[in-house]
Amino acid sequence: MNRSPFERYYKNPIIKKTDIPYPCSSVFNAAACKYGDEYILLLRIEDLEGKSHLTLARSANSVDFRIDKEPWIETSQDPVFEPYERFGVEDPRITTIDGIYYITYTAFGPYGVRGAIGKTSDFDKFKRISFVTDVDNKDVVLFPEKINEEYILITRPGGFGGQRGDIWISYSPNLIYWGKSRILMSHAPGGWSSGKLGASVPPIKTQEGWLLFYHGVKRTGSGNIYRIGAALLDLERPHIVMGHTKYFILGPDESYERIGDVPNVVFPCGAILEENGRIKMYYGVSDTAIAMATADIEEIVRCCLL
Ligand code: BMA
């Protein structure tokens, strides 16, 4: 029996490296949003040197994408940002607030990885705002609304070199200074997320609460297994977890999720809620390609409250 509420698109994976109009070694972990009538994906592409940049892709039907002929966001040349992005920019997420598209991403440099945020209003000009974490802290997602005049951010400090890594929440008046940080979710020992966990997709507002998809890592003798769970956070006080799925709700099963540069990885960075209540989730598979799966948002909310 298939317990997952997700239904995989029958032509997965939807984007492979052979679809990219310039040489690269892989494409995976894409942010997603709607822009006008179009679906936008911001693809993480690893070049032939092994360094990542971000490239835009657009689609009218959510599965057939036209991919830009050149990268959109690469290592910054600005001396404020360059030292921390020298090895590349990775794993973007998009959050829309009042018509501005905020892009959070992982900056990778000689000192480690850290979260960064920038913005666009037209998917043409991109402006960096700030780094939102110090090093060894990533999986950064921004809430799509301010609450009590504050921006809200989820991060994942730690988790490197086999260490523990939990999900935290922080607040800011201006997207630059972050504070009031506190733990949001911690993994259960022995479970599917016992290695570390991190936010996957920016929170989605539902009547019952903020729906947060997150990834959990199980460390095994033959490497990590990345799977997906969901949690429901209180609408007014989002540091309160009202419930989470008892089991993972998407894990690597298909051969494209099992085999690739990093095997046994499903890693969503974006999801789009359609008017019919279906969620389209875009996820990297084995750090090698991009797949899509759909689910009923109500069913996932129900699973969080069981
Ligand atoms: C995480 C991130 C992701 C990647 C995953 C599996 O730590 O680096 O970009 O997809 O590992 O390799």
Side-chain angles (χ1 to χ4, degrees):
M1 190 183 126
N2 181 9
R3 283 179 169 278
S4 174
F6 280 99
E7 199 177 312
R8 290 170 173 82
Y9 181 55
Y10 75 109
K11 282 206 290 201
N12 273 348
I14 59 167
I15 301 180
K16 306 185 287 298
K17 74 169 174 183
T18 44
D19 300 316
I20 308 302
Y22 53 87
C24 66
S25 65
S26 51
V27 50
F28 51 113
N29 303 359
C33 71
K34 275 297 247 327
Y35 177 61
D37 289 340
E38 288 201 306
Y39 295 80
I40 294 243
L41 290 185
L42 183 56
L43 315 174
R44 171 177 174 188
I45 294 181
E46 200 175 285
D47 67 18
L48 297 175
E49 290 180 341
K51 181 175 167 183
S52 290
H53 60 261
L54 310 177
T55 295
L56 283 166
R58 295 177 168 84
S59 167
N61 68 1
S62 80
V63 285
D64 298 304
F65 281 88
R66 309 183 310 280
I67 300 165
D68 278 5
K69 295 197 168 42
E70 42 194 59
W72 187 43
I73 303 176
E74 295 179 280
T75 298
S76 174
Q77 295 309 308
D78 180 338
V80 172
F81 291 94
E82 189 278 336
Y84 310 103
E85 299 187 357
R86 197 168 295 158
F87 301 160
V89 291
E90 308 181 343
D91 298 353
R93 277 88 169 182
I94 299 174
T95 297
T96 316
I97 306 179
D98 297 334
I100 308 281
Y101 301 84
Y102 293 94
I103 296 169
T104 54
Y105 60 94
T106 302
F108 180 27
Y111 311 104
V113 292
R114 62 189 303 202
I117 188 166
K119 65 178 176 179
T120 185
S121 51
D122 55 10
F123 287 96
D124 178 23
K125 291 175 289 306
F126 173 70
K127 190 173 171 349
R128 283 172 172 79
I129 299 173
S130 65
F131 289 108
V132 293
T133 70
D134 293 338
V135 290
D136 293 347
N137 190 345
K138 60 176 186 174
D139 293 320
V140 170
V141 302
L142 181 69
F143 277 68
E145 273 177 30
K146 287 162 118 181
I147 300 178
N148 299 327
E149 305 288 301
E150 289 179 310
Y151 293 97
I152 306 171
L153 194 74
I154 292 177
T155 65
R156 204 284 308 285
F160 299 92
Q163 301 269 306
R164 187 185 185 89
D166 303 298
I167 299 180
W168 289 60
I169 188 165
S170 313
Y171 302 81
S172 171
N174 56 9
L175 295 172
I176 295 171
Y177 299 106
W178 294 92
K180 296 200 281 183
S181 307
R182 59 194 293 177
I183 189 85
L184 180 66
M185 286 184 69
S186 193
H187 49 251
W192 63 271
S193 65
S194 55
K196 55 182 174 177
L197 68 176
S200 294
V201 173
I204 299 170
K205 196 172 195 179
T206 73
Q207 279 183 344
E208 292 84 356
W210 295 102
L211 180 62
L212 177 70
F213 289 107
Y214 61 94
H215 59 264
V217 175
K218 179 172 177 156
R219 304 191 196 277
T220 80
S222 3
N224 289 335
I225 306 176
Y226 279 73
R227 301 187 177 106
I228 304 306
L232 205 60
L233 314 179
D234 186 89
L235 283 178
E236 298 298 321
R237 292 167 302 162
H239 62 276
I240 298 174
V241 180
M242 298 159 67
H244 58 80
T245 53
K246 206 164 165 201
Y247 314 105
F248 60 86
I249 50 174
L250 187 72
D253 272 329
E254 300 294 329
S255 57
Y256 53 83
E257 297 163 341
R258 291 267 185 208
I259 302 164
D261 285 0
V262 183
N264 298 315
V265 175
V266 294
F267 199 96
C269 289
I272 291 172
L273 176 60
E274 300 286 17
E275 275 169 16
N276 63 3
R278 293 290 286 178
I279 289 183
K280 291 192 167 126
M281 187 154 84
Y282 295 90
Y283 60 106
V285 286
S286 296
D287 287 10
T288 297
I290 294 170
M292 199 270 274
T294 61
D296 267 327
I297 189 159
E298 278 182 11
E299 185 179 351
I300 295 184
V301 168
R302 247 192 335 269
C303 294
C304 290
L305 296 174
L306 278 181

